[in-house]
Every structure is written in structure tokens, then in C-alpha cells.
Amino acid sequence: GKKELEKANLIHKKKNKLKYFPFSVDTEFWKEETFDLLKNDKIIFVGNDGNRNTDLLIDIAKKLPDKKFLFVSQLPSLENLKLSNVEVISGRWGSEEIKDSNLKSIYAQSRLCIVPLNDTTQPSGQSVSLQCMSMGVPVIISRTAGFWDEDKFINNKHIIFAENNLNTWVNKINDVYEDVQLLEKISEQARKNVDKNFNLIKFYNKLLGFIKNG
């Protein structure tokens, strides 16, 4: 992420060796021609790293008993969660339980993806967010110091940022979930943004350019 690059530049002697190289996704795979966002009703959370704010996530689900949540995670605090409005699939992205095809099917049934995070300069939730956006699923994510590229993502256009406050999260989810025009706008703009700036082919070409230029 760009914030990591800023930190690295403060301590690394050879700054010309440091490059911002954004994570990218296969936008040809992460798309669904028959995807219909407005028919979906699930709010999903996917992730296993320690920077996920699971306490906030659980509180959000408790505060929204009328919403259907689906958590895909092996984090201990979520695996044995017993809430009537929450389905938990125990698995890790890339594992036998959660292959890309399984995850794609989950995204295709989703209305929103939520990514509550602890504040850190390390990028977190990047792969899940980009995959969802490539599919057309709007993403609500914590505003942290580690967000990977604030220049490329405009709030309420490509993504929705939320401060780590329970009421803020609950209000944003309620507002966005019912706002058809906003959902469709973010879905379309996010998909275009990821295809333009975080496409795997462009990643390869950029990498090749670095290799050729030393």
C-alpha cells in the first residue's frame, strides 16, 4: 500500500529500490454476466487476518437482526458464533473448503460486502474488496491509515468508507442497503475502476516494465 511505501521511505537507504506495486485481480474471472445486485439480500464478510475488527463485526450483526449476514472465516471468535441472522462458513480463501469458484458464487448472492478493520498501516481486506468490486458488489470498509490507494477510490462513488463507530456502521449499512440508486452507481463505478486500475493484465505489464528497466 502507499502508506507502507511512505513508512519504508523513512527508513530505507535506497529509496529508488522501493516501488508502489498495487495488488490486482483477474477481472475476467471475477465477474458474472447474470449478476443482479438488487435481487440479492446477503451482507457478507470474508477474511482471516488479525486486522479484521471482529468485535465490531459481531456488534453490527447484533444491531441489525433483520439483515442476513454471511461470514466466511476461520477466526475463532466467528467460527462458533450463534446468531439467528448470521450464517458462518468456516474456511480460508484458497483452501479446499473455499475455492475461488465457491467464493465467486458467494459474491454473486451478495448485496453488500463489509470490511470492518482495526486501524493499521498494513493493507487489509484488499483482495476481498477488489474481488467484490470487480463482481459489482459494493464495499463498505473502515477508514484506516493502511487503505491501499486513497487516490484511486472516491468515497460514495467507488467505495464507502466508515469510521470505526458502531452507530456509524449501522446507519451506513441501513442507508446504503435501501438506496437503490446509490447501490447501482457504486456497483458500476467500482467495477470500472478495478478493471481500469487493478486489472491483472496491467499488473503483469507493469511488472514486466520494472524487470526490463532493472
Side-chain angles (χ1 to χ4, degrees), residues 140-143 147 153-155 159-163 172:
I140 306 178
I141 191 170
S142 297
R143 185 183 290 278
F147 186 77
F153 291 91
I154 299 172
N155 188 35
I159 198 166
I160 300 166
F161 291 111
E163 305 300 329
K172 281 187 180 290

Side-chain angles (χ1 to χ4, degrees), residues 34-124:
T34 60
F35 181 71
D36 190 343
L37 178 68
L38 301 182
K39 287 185 177 180
N40 297 341
D41 61 357
K42 292 182 180 177
I43 299 173
I44 62 165
F45 166 88
V46 179
N48 286 291
D49 75 65
N51 290 323
R52 297 296 207 278
N53 191 332
T54 54
D55 289 339
L56 178 57
L57 177 68
I58 293 168
D59 287 342
I60 290 169
K62 288 179 178 178
K63 275 277 192 177
L64 294 169
D66 59 321
K67 299 290 192 296
K68 295 179 182 179
F69 291 86
L70 173 59
F71 299 166
V72 181
S73 179
Q74 288 182 332
L75 291 170
S77 58
L78 300 180
E79 281 197 289
N80 298 312
L81 188 64
K82 303 296 182 184
L83 291 174
S84 60
N85 62 325
V86 178
E87 177 186 357
V88 180
I89 298 176
S90 178
R92 182 179 297 273
W93 176 46
S95 68
E96 282 299 313
E97 297 87 356
I98 305 295
K99 297 178 181 179
D100 282 352
S101 56
N102 302 124
L103 201 52
K104 182 177 178 180
S105 177
I106 290 169
Y107 293 156
Q109 303 171 49
S110 305
R111 191 176 182 94
L112 278 175
C113 172
I114 58 174
V115 191
L117 302 170
N118 298 313
D119 196 13
T120 174
T121 55
Q122 178 187 345
S124 184

